[in-house]
Amino acid sequence: MQEYVYRPSFSRILAVITVAICVVGLVVVLIQDGIGDALSVLPWLLLVGGGAWAVFWYPAVQVDDGGVRLINVTRTVDLPWPSISRIDTKWALALVTSYGTYTAWAAPAPSRMSARRLSKQERGALPESSFVGKDTIRPGDAPGSPSGDVALVVRRHWDELRDAGYLDNPTLETDRPRVRWHVIQLVAAVLLLGLGLLAATV
């Protein structure tokens, strides 16, 4: 299959707005109070702007022939197809695997109030594994929602592999999934927090 990458558009807009506000705030402080005060607030503005990038811009879900990659705020997790046993969308896209349950930060489920009623045609386009019971789907599986759009892609490919028999006797190469912690982002956040506290005491 062609690689599918999902990043929520609304979250990315929030990230851009937050960074823009931080830049404007720095310029205002620089003009009104001078370079000294601007340097003292710079770590805090970088922390807020960087936090917005890490929380709203960077997270994603990647789906390809090898499996599903969850790029979250603090870490990235690679989950091969044979490890996945169920796709859940109660609170967000969550993959129940042989390693445990892993949630996608980039694909939250909508609230029950915001979930819209699906047409008969939309229901017919959903794979069988989307339904809970005979004819019920969770709000998180609704097309057009972050969790629903990603879950649809994951379920379709997972169902194809299952129906073809590739998941009948799943074998895993490792006892744990491949996990990469976002060390640079975490260290940068700690350093900026320290610099901000230091500037506040000077």
Side-chain angles (χ1 to χ4, degrees):
M1 67 174 292
Q2 184 178 1
E3 183 184 54
Y4 169 85
V5 180
Y6 177 82
R7 285 187 171 92
S9 300
F10 181 70
S11 294
R12 304 187 91 185
I13 293 172
L14 287 178
V16 171
I17 292 174
T18 303
V19 171
I21 291 173
C22 290
V23 172
V24 171
L26 180 63
V27 172
V28 170
V29 173
L30 182 62
I31 293 174
Q32 293 184 350
D33 302 317
I35 191 170
D37 286 341
L39 289 175
S40 67
V41 300
L42 181 59
W44 296 110
L45 294 176
L46 288 175
L47 185 62
V48 172
W53 173 83
V55 172
F56 298 125
W57 185 280
Y58 188 64
V61 180
Q62 298 177 359
V63 184
D64 59 27
D65 286 329
V68 182
R69 171 174 290 176
L70 305 180
I71 304 174
N72 290 336
V73 178
T74 59
R75 65 179 183 173
T76 294
V77 182
D78 290 320
L79 300 170
W81 289 113
S83 72
I84 300 173
S85 58
R86 187 162 59 90
I87 298 101
D88 190 24
T89 58
K90 184 176 182 180
W91 308 111
L93 174 71
L95 302 180
V96 181
T97 75
S98 304
Y99 306 122
T101 301
Y102 296 86
T103 302
W105 181 274
S111 66
R112 292 186 178 274
M113 295 295 293
S114 63
R116 58 187 177 83
R117 186 179 298 275
L118 299 182
S119 66
K120 186 175 181 179
Q121 183 178 6
E122 288 175 321
R123 285 180 173 272
L126 294 174
E128 181 182 349
S129 55
S130 298
F131 292 88
V132 179
K134 184 178 179 181
D135 194 35
T136 304
I137 69 166
R138 285 179 169 166
D141 283 314
S145 66
S147 57
D149 287 345
V150 183
L152 181 59
V153 174
V154 175
R155 280 198 174 100
R156 279 178 174 169
H157 195 62
W158 186 75
D159 285 351
E160 289 175 2
L161 293 173
R162 182 197 60 188
D163 294 342
Y166 292 115
L167 303 180
D168 289 345
N169 296 298
T171 56
L172 302 176
E173 297 179 356
T174 61
D175 295 332
R176 298 179 181 179
R178 181 184 174 190
V179 177
R180 179 174 60 85
W181 291 91
H182 302 161
V183 177
I184 294 177
Q185 292 93 314
L186 294 172
V187 171
V190 172
L191 289 176
L192 288 172
L193 180 60
L195 288 173
L197 293 174
L198 180 63
T201 60
V202 175

